[in-house]
Amino acid sequence: MFCGLDIGGTKVLGLAVSPEDPVTPVATRRTATINDGDALIASMVEVINGLEADCGTTFSAVGVGVAGLVESTGMLRYSPNIDVVLDLDVRRRLREELRRPVVVDNEATAAAWAESHYGAARGARHVALVALGTGVGTGFVLDGRLYRGWNGFAGESGHMTIELSGPEHVTGASGPWEYYASGTGLGRLARQAAERGDFESATAAAGSVRAIRGEHVHDLVAAGEPDALAVLDEFCYYTAIGVANLVHVLDPEMVVIAGGLVEIGEPLVRGVETWTHRLVLGGSQRRRVQIVPAQLGSNASALGAALLAAENQY
Amino acid sequence: MFCGLDIGGTKVLGLAVSPEDPVTPVATRRTATINDGDALIASMVEVINGLEADCGTTFSAVGVGVAGLVESTGMLRYSPNIDVVLDLDVRRRLREELRRPVVVDNEATAAAWAESHYGAARGARHVALVALGTGVGTGFVLDGRLYRGWNGFAGESGHMTIELSGPEHVTGASGPWEYYASGTGLGRLARQAAERGDFESATAAAGSVRAIRGEHVHDLVAAGEPDALAVLDEFCYYTAIGVANLVHVLDPEMVVIAGGLVEIGEPLVRGVETWTHRLVLGGSQRRRVQIVPAQLGSNASALGAALLAAENQY
């Protein structure tokens, strides 16, 4: 049995994964992410020990996916969403605590590996996973192999500049992709539409323009509300700008849309697909890249991390 | 002996390359690029036959690098700079004419392969070559292997959107990287500076604001003219925006600056380096990507194409 952890900006998710049926976790635990290195390590150990108690087993190895710059050695250099934590050697610290093999990787990279083994990208050799959540994370399978880059920092594509004269993001950069294509970005687009008087259904649902969040767009899209569909289309356009950038750089055969926002479903995925095909160079002269929703849901990163742990072990 | 051809937007360059000393071509021929499929193939055959006559030999194989969307099968789907030519099966046509092995690839991809074997990127496992010329082409060596993508279209990074609300490029896209970071972009920045009255030395050198080209910036930078250095710095900033995007996506250890503009030399390369390190996420928490000038000059693509032909042969 293997353990997979996903350390996101807000939560730590832990899965106990059996090699016989990896997509159905034997046990699941969650806790809040703590923006402090020692406390974060302690909470990870607690989740792992808890999962072992749940299953009555000892894990052969532990895999961890983290949102941020994770070196191939397992050192977390910097995470925009856990910003107090710098240079935390997650792998060494967990190995000392657990005395068993530990693998640490970026959470979107781990999710890409899981989707390419057990999810939407089975059989595809060139895959870009695009996780739309608090920010935008990406992970790549290139020529059938997980791609990590020089430091292990590949796939920080949410920080690509797409609007140089655009507003300043929390990172200090101007107009990066994730400023627009994240859950935060969707909420902002919705509030801007409401301020123009173009999204009164959202104002009504939220109680005020200021209270509008991405979730309101989600609910109103599900109800087929035309103003919500217009806001979603604008969001899909911004998302597709970055997807098209990735297509120009990497020429993947498949883009897997993942992260919390994929719960919006078909209208999101079809919108991104339509815009991407309009934006890609020489669109009529090339095969259409497949744009598909992730299949493993919010478990993908933790599952991929467990898979990496299992592979490292054997 | 092998033949390498580079089919650019304006010229066809042919090299006769000996495996004993590949970086010193045995013979060189040039002709203008013809924007017509049949005539282009005929001119390529003429260059190859001419080189064979120059050397008194028969090439074992021919490699061709083309600026544009080239499929892994050797089919040129679309080239923004040879835009009448669509769906030209360069490999099949040349094989029929020459009756010997032919390899066709993108010219920046071929240049990246050459630089990683014989030039600036020897020994590096993760390399992005950025060719600044009429447009911006890129080629990648990832995990030590040439990366082509699903269709063979990887590295069309010049078409990444960096300024969504920016002006329309010749391709119809808004604010792509190559609108700014190409020779055309440098000339435009120089004319804009001159119009503001900030580049009178260029107006004097060119005779009028409208006549200012990138070459004038190059000459005045070489003379240390402060206004020219300011224009170059602006150009380096735009170039670095796209380089930083590539660093976020691919995490290369080295970026090789190639193409005609690299002749500007040290001030260009240092400017791009300075801006890139300011722009990259978590700059203080990561090793600095090396930004270096290409070493093989304008021969890189043709040399890389010859190298691919030689590898395919053995």
Side-chain angles (χ1 to χ4, degrees):
Chain A
M1 192 102 74
F2 298 92
C3 179
L5 292 188
D6 175 13
I7 317 299
T10 55
K11 61 149 189 35
V12 172
L13 169 70
L15 302 180
V17 172
S18 153
E20 284 77 48
D21 181 13
V23 297
T24 314
V26 180
T28 301
R29 284 198 173 223
R30 287 183 188 80
T31 186
T33 301
I34 307 167
N35 196 351
D36 172 273
D38 292 341
L40 186 62
I41 294 288
S43 73
M44 290 162 71
V45 170
E46 198 180 314
V47 166
I48 295 162
N49 290 339
L51 286 168
E52 288 192 332
D54 295 344
C55 304
T57 185
T58 303
F59 295 127
S60 312
V62 173
V64 184
V66 190
L69 298 179
V70 184
E71 285 183 359
S72 306
T73 57
M75 170 74 89
L76 173 61
R77 284 295 178 196
Y78 169 66
S79 174
N81 295 309
I82 322 170
D83 59 0
V84 172
V85 178
L86 292 177
D87 300 336
L88 180 65
D89 195 338
V90 177
R91 182 159 178 260
R92 186 179 61 75
R93 294 283 296 273
L94 282 184
R95 285 183 66 160
E96 282 169 10
E97 296 279 350
L98 302 168
R99 310 218 163 267
R100 72 199 75 172
V102 175
V103 177
V104 184
D105 215 317
N106 175 273
E107 64 165 3
T109 300
W113 200 227
E115 289 287 343
S116 81
H117 274 72
Y118 303 116
R122 269 168 297 177
R125 284 185 57 78
H126 299 89
V127 180
L129 176 129
V130 174
L132 308 173
T134 310
V136 176
T138 64
F140 308 130
V141 174
L142 305 180
D143 281 325
R145 289 176 291 268
L146 204 55
Y147 181 72
R148 294 185 175 91
W150 180 40
N151 298 289
F153 298 168
E156 288 293 326
S157 318
H159 303 283
M160 283 190 294
T161 302
I162 66 162
E163 178 71 307
L164 190 47
S165 61
E168 188 175 316
H169 188 46
V170 291
T171 57
S174 298
W177 186 25
E178 77 167 24
Y179 179 86
Y180 304 95
S182 54
T184 326
L186 178 58
R188 191 186 301 112
L189 284 177
R191 287 190 295 279
Q192 287 168 350
E195 274 163 21
R196 294 192 309 263
D198 291 340
F199 201 6
E200 291 183 3
S201 57
T203 311
S208 73
V209 169
R210 282 190 57 189
I212 298 174
R213 297 284 174 274
E215 292 74 11
H216 299 109
V217 185
H218 181 166
D219 294 344
L220 290 161
V221 162
E225 205 280 311
D227 288 345
L229 293 172
V231 168
L232 182 67
D233 190 56
E234 198 181 351
F235 178 78
C236 290
Y237 168 70
Y238 283 112
T239 304
I241 291 286
V243 170
N245 280 6
L246 291 181
V247 171
H248 287 136
V249 175
L250 295 174
D251 185 22
E253 67 192 282
M254 184 180 281
V255 174
V256 179
I257 307 293
L261 293 187
V262 77
E263 288 171 21
I264 296 172
E266 186 74 7
L268 172 73
V269 176
R270 288 295 78 79
V272 174
E273 184 184 42
T274 302
W275 279 112
T276 300
H277 292 139
R278 283 187 209 163
L279 289 163
V280 167
L281 179 80
S284 59
Q285 297 303 118
R286 60 197 298 159
R287 294 183 289 176
R288 287 164 76 95
V289 54
Q290 291 181 72
I291 316 251
V292 300
Q295 290 179 356
L296 302 172
S298 54
N299 281 346
S301 292
L303 176 52
L307 184 58
L308 290 169
E311 289 171 350
N312 208 46
Q313 176 82 331
Y314 300 139
Chain B
M1 193 102 73
F2 297 92
C3 179
L5 292 188
D6 175 12
I7 316 299
T10 54
K11 61 149 188 36
V12 172
L13 169 69
L15 302 180
V17 171
S18 153
E20 283 78 49
D21 181 13
V23 298
T24 314
V26 180
T28 302
R29 283 197 173 224
R30 286 182 188 81
T31 186
T33 301
I34 307 167
N35 196 353
D36 171 273
D38 291 341
L40 185 62
I41 295 289
S43 73
M44 289 162 73
V45 171
E46 198 181 313
V47 165
I48 296 162
N49 289 339
L51 286 167
E52 287 193 332
D54 295 345
C55 303
T57 186
T58 303
F59 295 127
S60 312
V62 173
V64 184
V66 189
L69 298 179
V70 183
E71 285 183 359
S72 306
T73 57
M75 169 75 89
L76 174 62
R77 284 294 177 198
Y78 168 66
S79 174
N81 294 309
I82 323 170
D83 59 358
V84 173
V85 177
L86 292 177
D87 299 337
L88 180 65
D89 195 339
V90 177
R91 181 158 179 261
R92 186 179 61 76
R93 293 284 297 272
L94 282 183
R95 285 182 66 159
E96 282 170 8
E97 295 278 351
L98 302 168
R99 310 218 163 267
R100 73 198 76 170
V102 175
V103 177
V104 184
D105 215 316
N106 174 273
E107 64 165 5
T109 300
W113 201 227
E115 289 287 342
S116 81
H117 274 72
Y118 303 115
R122 269 169 297 179
R125 284 184 57 77
H126 298 90
V127 180
L129 176 129
V130 174
L132 308 172
T134 311
V136 175
T138 64
F140 309 130
V141 174
L142 305 180
D143 281 325
R145 290 176 292 268
L146 204 55
Y147 182 71
R148 295 185 173 92
W150 180 40
N151 297 289
F153 298 168
E156 289 294 327
S157 318
H159 302 284
M160 282 191 294
T161 302
I162 65 162
E163 178 72 307
L164 191 47
S165 61
E168 188 175 316
H169 188 46
V170 291
T171 57
S174 298
W177 185 25
E178 77 167 23
Y179 179 86
Y180 304 95
S182 54
T184 327
L186 178 59
R188 189 187 303 111
L189 284 177
R191 288 191 296 279
Q192 287 168 350
E195 275 163 20
R196 294 193 307 265
D198 292 338
F199 202 6
E200 290 183 4
S201 57
T203 312
S208 73
V209 170
R210 283 191 55 190
I212 298 174
R213 297 284 173 274
E215 291 75 10
H216 298 110
V217 185
H218 181 166
D219 294 344
L220 291 160
V221 162
E225 204 281 310
D227 289 345
L229 292 172
V231 167
L232 182 68
D233 189 57
E234 197 180 354
F235 178 78
C236 290
Y237 168 69
Y238 283 112
T239 303
I241 291 286
V243 169
N245 279 5
L246 292 181
V247 170
H248 288 134
V249 175
L250 294 174
D251 184 23
E253 67 191 281
M254 183 180 282
V255 174
V256 179
I257 306 293
L261 293 187
V262 78
E263 288 170 22
I264 295 172
E266 187 73 8
L268 172 73
V269 176
R270 288 295 78 81
V272 173
E273 184 184 43
T274 302
W275 279 113
T276 300
H277 292 140
R278 282 188 210 164
L279 289 163
V280 167
L281 180 79
S284 59
Q285 296 304 117
R286 59 198 296 160
R287 294 184 288 177
R288 288 165 74 96
V289 54
Q290 291 182 71
I291 314 244
V292 300
Q295 290 180 357
L296 301 172
S298 54
N299 281 347
S301 293
L303 176 53
L307 184 58
L308 290 170
E311 288 170 351
N312 208 46
Q313 177 81 334
Y314 301 139

